[in-house]
Amino acid sequence: MNHHLRQARAADMDTLAGMAARSQTGPWSAGQLLDSLKAGHAITVLEQDGYPIGFAVVQVVLDEAELLEIVIDRPHQRHGWARCLLDHLQRQLHQQGVNRLLLEVREGNLPALSLYRQYGLTEFGRRQLALDHGFGLAGFALSQGFT
């Protein structure tokens, strides 16, 4: 199976939002994804055999980047695709001169926490995360320095 990474286009937003809705709680809508794209955030799409199976949204400000969203479509989870996407993002961000990656993750998302810690991301804070139905889940703020 072949995989390919590319930058998202406006025409991808409905597909990406559908993928997010199948794969996570509190997914971004097509409108939110389009707003993010228009704001200049990088949205990288992971395709397998020509079909989107994942994506990541990254905001870069000077020498820091924030991973705003990462989604692997539910049928493709637990097959190493998030690692593939993160490897690509790390290389790309390092080439852009980024020296720190930030993200937030819900404390109950153990697979994501495990993956991020394998990448050397460390906790530097904790706070209540906003959800569609109010505040509720605690989350970790993680960071990784590039050398």
Side-chain angles (χ1 to χ4, degrees):
M1 291 186 227
N2 296 323
H3 75 278
H4 173 74
L5 293 149
R6 65 170 175 82
Q7 292 303 302
R9 300 177 290 268
D12 294 320
M13 298 306 114
D14 286 334
T15 299
L16 300 183
M19 183 186 316
R22 286 188 298 276
S23 304
Q24 60 185 199
T25 303
W28 286 24
S29 69
Q32 289 169 310
L33 287 163
L34 184 58
D35 287 347
S36 189
L37 185 67
K38 288 178 180 178
H41 302 160
I43 302 179
T44 302
V45 177
L46 171 63
E47 293 181 330
Q48 181 184 34
D49 296 326
Y51 296 97
I53 63 166
F55 69 94
V57 181
V58 176
Q59 175 182 357
V60 177
V61 177
L62 301 174
D63 62 348
E64 289 188 345
E66 183 175 3
L67 180 61
L68 300 172
E69 182 80 308
I70 185 167
V71 173
I72 301 298
D73 204 358
R74 186 166 300 281
H76 300 279
Q77 291 177 1
R78 303 255 185 222
H79 296 286
W81 293 116
R83 183 176 302 281
C84 175
L85 193 48
L86 284 170
D87 286 346
H88 170 78
L89 291 174
Q90 279 189 316
R91 285 190 304 273
Q92 184 179 53
L93 293 170
H94 184 69
Q95 290 172 354
Q96 292 175 8
V98 169
N99 62 36
R100 187 172 184 201
L101 176 65
L102 307 167
L103 62 89
E104 290 182 347
V105 62
R106 291 183 176 117
E107 70 179 355
N109 191 344
L110 300 180
L113 282 168
S114 174
L115 176 65
Y116 297 144
R117 288 183 174 141
Q118 289 173 29
Y119 274 84
L121 282 102
T122 56
E123 180 182 344
F124 71 92
R126 195 182 274 232
R127 70 184 184 106
Q128 293 290 103
L129 298 178
L131 303 174
D132 288 342
H133 54 278
F135 289 89
L137 297 176
F140 295 104
L142 302 173
S143 72
Q144 175 191 39
F146 298 135
T147 55

